[in-house]
Amino acid sequence: MSVLAASAGPAPASTALASAAGTGHGPTLADFGLDPWWLILLKVLVIFVFLLVAALLMIWAERKIIGRMQNRYGPNRAGKFGLLQSLMDGIKLALMEDIIPRGVDRVLFVLAPAVSMIPAFISLAIIPFGPEVSIAGHHTPLQLSDLPVAVLLILAMSSMGVYGIVLAGWSSASPYSLLGSLRASAQVISYEIAMGIAFVPVFLYAGSLSTSQIVQSQANGGEFRLFGAILHYPSWYVILLLPSFLIYVITMVGETNRLPFDLPEGEGELVAGYHTEYSSLKFALFYLAEYINMVTVSALAITLFLGGWRAPWPISVWSGANSGWYPLLWFLGKLVLFVFFFIWLRGSLPRIRYDQLMALGWKVLIPTALAWTLIIATLRVWRRQGGSTPIYIVAGLIVAALLALWIGWESSAQRSARAAEEEEAAAVEHEREHGPAFPVPPMDLPHYHGIGLDVSGLTTGAPIAGSDDSAAKKEVTGA
């Protein structure tokens, strides 16, 4: 029998996919690139339509949920429950006049919205929506493609997306647009560093940067028995790597320029930020890119930390929960929760100051992500090598470095607080001795109370009764 099996050779790829589809196992890198051309085009079309429909529904849901939070109905005129309101707004934008201001760089001005939106579409191509399924007799993964460095592709696309914002601000020849684009570039750089570092513990645990392999690594934890039943310890990285998940959640909000981190389009300071000069479909593309980016970063969080398309407990106890088309339902359910989280943040938190935004990124998120990554790396090496002496030495050095950083941070904060107190005390003492630092007009002059004013002269421009112009001027200005 073994000779016959060996002579038969390896099983065909379609047979392997069929067996994997029946057991609910995730695809591997070898399972990609086998689809016919029409199936690849079908997947591309489905992803494109899904993102467009998801953006329209997210806009409607955001207006409805925030409306309820503010004790109002939200859109309720166009279609049942106002479901068609986002579509009507899109048609209205398409029919509006497309204005291109004079003095702009027309080529970059037109290309910027597309540069901002296209990377968001590309990123979703490597997100696994489910295991292998059968489509028209072909067994194929519910994923367009996968790469050995798939997560790095998503990081690269998020970096490319900010180019659209920067080009929009620079080409608009407007100070408001330029300031908004500069804010966006600084914000993306600050928060993408922390995001990339937070991914490293996931790569160390999964042993791969492939999205399908990361989902597969979260399939089952260690086994244990409870009342005779075989159960598994938690295997989702949201539990095992909770600090990485929290850092990513904060940075993904900063990456998408959403409240409370929407400084690039702060309407109270920059009119509308980088898209101040845009109208019609160009503005709609920027608007669409924001919501598509929300879907992309949410799908990435689900893939890296929430088990991907795998069913949550206790649904996972059912043997068929992770096979067939059911995993697509679990994935979309997790996606809805993340979208609600974005909307809840917008309706609950105010916009923070720009210095607070930068301080959070550089002084809190990046040092925390670095420290957490060093701890996880040390633990992984210790588990692999069985606690050798060099591992304890490295671990001690890491702990000492972290303590030194914490002590330096605390001492610096104390010095800053003392310097601020001394500066405030010096300012109070200077004001007590020399008066206010800037001229303040007297607040109790006689004419403030109507004394010496001729009311009839107010309409003719007559001077104050009983005084000449020079006296009036001296009384008010002291000149």
Side-chain angles (χ1 to χ4, degrees):
M1 294 293 291
S2 60
V3 174
L4 291 175
S7 63
S14 59
T15 306
L17 283 174
S19 62
T23 58
H25 293 298
T28 62
L29 287 173
D31 298 328
F32 294 93
L34 306 175
D35 296 332
W37 65 268
W38 62 266
L39 190 53
I40 296 175
L41 290 179
L42 179 62
K43 289 183 178 182
V44 172
L45 180 62
V46 168
I47 291 176
F48 181 77
V49 174
F50 167 74
L51 287 176
L52 291 181
V53 175
L56 294 178
L57 292 178
M58 287 166 60
I59 296 171
W60 169 82
E62 184 170 42
R63 297 178 64 181
K64 272 290 188 182
I65 294 173
I66 293 181
R68 290 295 181 179
M69 295 174 71
Q70 298 172 349
N71 198 24
R72 55 185 177 83
Y73 284 106
N76 61 352
R77 297 291 183 182
K80 187 69 172 178
F81 306 114
L83 282 169
L84 298 179
Q85 185 63 55
S86 301
L87 180 61
M88 297 299 107
D89 291 340
I91 296 175
K92 178 188 69 175
L93 281 173
L95 296 178
M96 291 176 64
E97 181 182 3
D98 187 10
I99 301 173
I100 299 181
R102 289 179 296 181
V104 303
D105 189 319
R106 297 180 68 91
V107 176
L108 297 181
F109 189 83
V110 173
L111 287 179
V115 174
S116 181
M117 186 182 66
I118 291 175
F121 280 98
I122 297 176
S123 299
L124 210 68
I126 56 177
I127 296 295
F129 288 85
E132 291 89 354
V133 296
S134 178
I135 300 177
H138 293 270
H139 291 278
T140 179
L142 276 179
Q143 183 177 353
L144 179 58
S145 182
D146 197 7
L147 299 170
V149 289
V151 180
L152 294 186
L153 175 64
I154 297 179
L155 289 175
M157 289 299 102
S158 64
S159 300
M160 292 297 296
V162 76
Y163 274 90
I165 297 177
V166 174
L167 292 178
W170 184 84
S171 63
S172 295
S174 167
Y176 298 116
S177 302
L178 183 60
L179 287 174
S181 64
L182 292 177
R183 282 186 176 186
S185 59
Q187 182 171 324
V188 168
I189 292 172
S190 303
Y191 281 73
E192 201 165 70
I193 295 174
M195 178 186 290
I197 298 173
F199 287 164
V200 175
V202 176
F203 304 152
L204 293 175
Y205 263 77
S208 174
L209 276 71
S210 164
T211 52
S212 59
Q213 295 304 307
I214 291 174
V215 173
Q216 184 63 28
S217 66
Q218 301 177 71
N220 291 309
E223 293 185 355
F224 69 96
R225 291 182 177 272
L226 182 64
F227 303 112
I230 298 178
L231 301 176
H232 296 273
Y233 288 108
S235 57
W236 288 4
Y237 294 147
V238 67
I239 299 175
L240 301 178
L241 303 172
L242 181 60
S244 291
F245 175 72
L246 296 178
I247 293 172
Y248 175 75
V249 168
I250 297 174
T251 56
M252 79 177 187
V253 179
E255 283 277 315
T256 53
N257 298 329
R258 296 277 301 181
L259 271 169
F261 302 143
D262 64 335
L263 276 302
E265 52 188 72
E267 67 276 357
E269 308 161 3
L270 304 177
V271 183
Y274 57 90
H275 51 61
T276 298
E277 305 297 336
Y278 282 88
S279 61
S280 190
L281 281 179
K282 297 184 184 65
F283 173 79
L285 289 180
F286 277 119
Y287 201 67
L288 192 65
E290 176 181 334
Y291 287 89
I292 292 176
N293 279 319
M294 290 168 56
V295 176
T296 301
V297 297
S298 300
L300 184 60
I302 295 168
T303 301
L304 297 183
F305 297 101
L306 297 182
W309 43 264
R310 297 191 172 275
W313 188 88
I315 302 177
S316 58
V317 177
W318 173 39
S319 59
N322 293 321
S323 60
W325 292 89
Y326 290 109
L328 181 61
L329 183 62
W330 319 138
F331 185 91
L332 294 179
K334 299 173 186 177
L335 188 64
V336 169
L337 293 179
F338 266 97
V339 170
F340 176 79
F341 173 73
F342 273 106
I343 298 173
W344 174 69
L345 283 182
R346 178 173 181 177
S348 303
L349 299 180
R351 180 183 297 123
I352 65 175
R353 296 197 317 264
Y354 194 74
D355 62 310
Q356 294 173 334
L357 175 74
M358 291 292 104
L360 177 63
W362 289 97
K363 296 182 179 180
V364 178
L365 294 180
I366 293 178
T368 304
L370 282 172
W372 173 246
T373 301
L374 290 174
I375 293 173
I376 292 299
T378 304
L379 291 176
R380 295 296 291 176
V381 175
W382 178 77
R383 290 184 61 181
R384 287 175 179 269
Q385 299 189 4
S388 59
T389 302
I391 299 301
Y392 288 110
I393 295 176
V394 173
L397 292 176
I398 291 175
V399 172
L402 294 178
L403 288 175
L405 288 174
W406 179 74
I407 294 173
W409 178 282
E410 288 295 324
S411 60
S412 176
Q414 292 176 2
R415 287 195 302 268
S416 299
R418 285 196 299 268
E421 292 177 358
E422 293 174 358
E423 183 178 353
E424 184 178 358
V428 171
E429 184 64 24
H430 182 274
E431 184 174 348
R432 183 182 297 112
E433 295 179 356
H434 305 285
F438 54 91
V440 179
M443 301 302 295
D444 199 30
L445 291 176
H447 65 271
Y448 286 170
H449 304 281
I451 300 175
L453 289 178
D454 187 0
V455 180
S456 61
L458 293 178
T459 58
T460 60
I464 299 176
S467 64
D468 57 355
D469 290 343
S470 60
K473 180 179 179 182
K474 184 174 182 180
E475 178 187 4
V476 176
T477 64

PDB file of all heavy atoms in Angstrom, residues 80 120 141 242 246 282 324 329 378 411 478:
ATOM      1  N   LYS A  80     -36.474  53.487   2.280  1.00  0.00           N
ATOM      2  CA  LYS A  80     -36.901  52.955   3.576  1.00  0.00           C
ATOM      3  C   LYS A  80     -35.825  53.199   4.613  1.00  0.00           C
ATOM      4  O   LYS A  80     -34.650  52.850   4.406  1.00  0.00           O
ATOM      5  CB  LYS A  80     -37.186  51.452   3.436  1.00  0.00           C
ATOM      6  CG  LYS A  80     -37.788  50.798   4.661  1.00  0.00           C
ATOM      7  CD  LYS A  80     -39.218  51.266   4.904  1.00  0.00           C
ATOM      8  CE  LYS A  80     -39.866  50.444   6.024  1.00  0.00           C
ATOM      9  NZ  LYS A  80     -41.241  50.920   6.301  1.00  0.00           N
ATOM     10  N   ALA A 120      -6.371  52.039  -1.031  1.00  0.00           N
ATOM     11  CA  ALA A 120      -7.325  51.405  -0.124  1.00  0.00           C
ATOM     12  C   ALA A 120      -7.968  50.187  -0.772  1.00  0.00           C
ATOM     13  O   ALA A 120      -8.231  49.171  -0.105  1.00  0.00           O
ATOM     14  CB  ALA A 120      -8.392  52.415   0.291  1.00  0.00           C
ATOM     15  N   PRO A 141      -9.906  29.822  -2.495  1.00  0.00           N
ATOM     16  CA  PRO A 141      -9.977  30.562  -1.221  1.00  0.00           C
ATOM     17  C   PRO A 141     -10.822  31.826  -1.379  1.00  0.00           C
ATOM     18  O   PRO A 141     -10.867  32.437  -2.450  1.00  0.00           O
ATOM     19  CB  PRO A 141      -8.510  30.912  -0.929  1.00  0.00           C
ATOM     20  CG  PRO A 141      -7.700  30.058  -1.848  1.00  0.00           C
ATOM     21  CD  PRO A 141      -8.539  29.792  -3.038  1.00  0.00           C
ATOM     22  N   LEU A 242      -2.565  41.565  23.883  1.00  0.00           N
ATOM     23  CA  LEU A 242      -3.500  42.675  24.095  1.00  0.00           C
ATOM     24  C   LEU A 242      -2.854  44.051  23.931  1.00  0.00           C
ATOM     25  O   LEU A 242      -3.451  44.936  23.298  1.00  0.00           O
ATOM     26  CB  LEU A 242      -4.153  42.548  25.471  1.00  0.00           C
ATOM     27  CG  LEU A 242      -5.187  43.623  25.833  1.00  0.00           C
ATOM     28  CD1 LEU A 242      -6.342  43.611  24.846  1.00  0.00           C
ATOM     29  CD2 LEU A 242      -5.689  43.429  27.259  1.00  0.00           C
ATOM     30  N   LEU A 246      -4.260  47.062  21.411  1.00  0.00           N
ATOM     31  CA  LEU A 246      -4.656  48.403  21.842  1.00  0.00           C
ATOM     32  C   LEU A 246      -3.868  49.476  21.100  1.00  0.00           C
ATOM     33  O   LEU A 246      -4.422  50.506  20.694  1.00  0.00           O
ATOM     34  CB  LEU A 246      -4.461  48.538  23.356  1.00  0.00           C
ATOM     35  CG  LEU A 246      -5.330  47.629  24.226  1.00  0.00           C
ATOM     36  CD1 LEU A 246      -4.998  47.828  25.695  1.00  0.00           C
ATOM     37  CD2 LEU A 246      -6.818  47.881  23.974  1.00  0.00           C
ATOM     38  N   LYS A 282     -14.498  64.897  -7.389  1.00  0.00           N
ATOM     39  CA  LYS A 282     -13.181  64.850  -6.753  1.00  0.00           C
ATOM     40  C   LYS A 282     -13.311  64.862  -5.241  1.00  0.00           C
ATOM     41  O   LYS A 282     -12.625  64.117  -4.536  1.00  0.00           O
ATOM     42  CB  LYS A 282     -12.321  66.017  -7.240  1.00  0.00           C
ATOM     43  CG  LYS A 282     -12.017  66.002  -8.739  1.00  0.00           C
ATOM     44  CD  LYS A 282     -11.092  67.140  -9.106  1.00  0.00           C
ATOM     45  CE  LYS A 282     -10.851  67.194 -10.606  1.00  0.00           C
ATOM     46  NZ  LYS A 282     -12.086  67.501 -11.353  1.00  0.00           N
ATOM     47  N   GLY A 324     -17.197  26.085   4.763  1.00  0.00           N
ATOM     48  CA  GLY A 324     -18.219  26.582   3.852  1.00  0.00           C
ATOM     49  C   GLY A 324     -18.261  28.099   3.824  1.00  0.00           C
ATOM     50  O   GLY A 324     -17.242  28.782   3.929  1.00  0.00           O
ATOM     51  N   LEU A 329     -19.826  35.108   7.239  1.00  0.00           N
ATOM     52  CA  LEU A 329     -20.768  35.767   8.151  1.00  0.00           C
ATOM     53  C   LEU A 329     -20.070  36.236   9.419  1.00  0.00           C
ATOM     54  O   LEU A 329     -20.310  37.353   9.893  1.00  0.00           O
ATOM     55  CB  LEU A 329     -21.904  34.802   8.489  1.00  0.00           C
ATOM     56  CG  LEU A 329     -23.027  35.343   9.371  1.00  0.00           C
ATOM     57  CD1 LEU A 329     -23.747  36.497   8.687  1.00  0.00           C
ATOM     58  CD2 LEU A 329     -24.021  34.234   9.712  1.00  0.00           C
ATOM     59  N   THR A 378      11.925  38.436  23.759  1.00  0.00           N
ATOM     60  CA  THR A 378      12.676  37.703  24.785  1.00  0.00           C
ATOM     61  C   THR A 378      11.939  36.448  25.221  1.00  0.00           C
ATOM     62  O   THR A 378      12.542  35.368  25.367  1.00  0.00           O
ATOM     63  CB  THR A 378      12.919  38.617  25.995  1.00  0.00           C
ATOM     64  OG1 THR A 378      13.581  39.809  25.569  1.00  0.00           O
ATOM     65  CG2 THR A 378      13.752  37.913  27.038  1.00  0.00           C
ATOM     66  N   SER A 411      11.846  61.710  35.708  1.00  0.00           N
ATOM     67  CA  SER A 411      12.660  62.860  36.115  1.00  0.00           C
ATOM     68  C   SER A 411      12.488  64.023  35.152  1.00  0.00           C
ATOM     69  O   SER A 411      12.433  65.192  35.566  1.00  0.00           O
ATOM     70  CB  SER A 411      14.132  62.450  36.190  1.00  0.00           C
ATOM     71  OG  SER A 411      14.588  61.999  34.910  1.00  0.00           O
ATOM     72  N   GLY A 478      -5.049 107.993  26.421  1.00  0.00           N
ATOM     73  CA  GLY A 478      -3.921 108.433  27.244  1.00  0.00           C
ATOM     74  C   GLY A 478      -2.844 109.125  26.468  1.00  0.00           C
ATOM     75  O   GLY A 478      -1.786 109.394  27.013  1.00  0.00           O
TER      76      GLY A 478
END
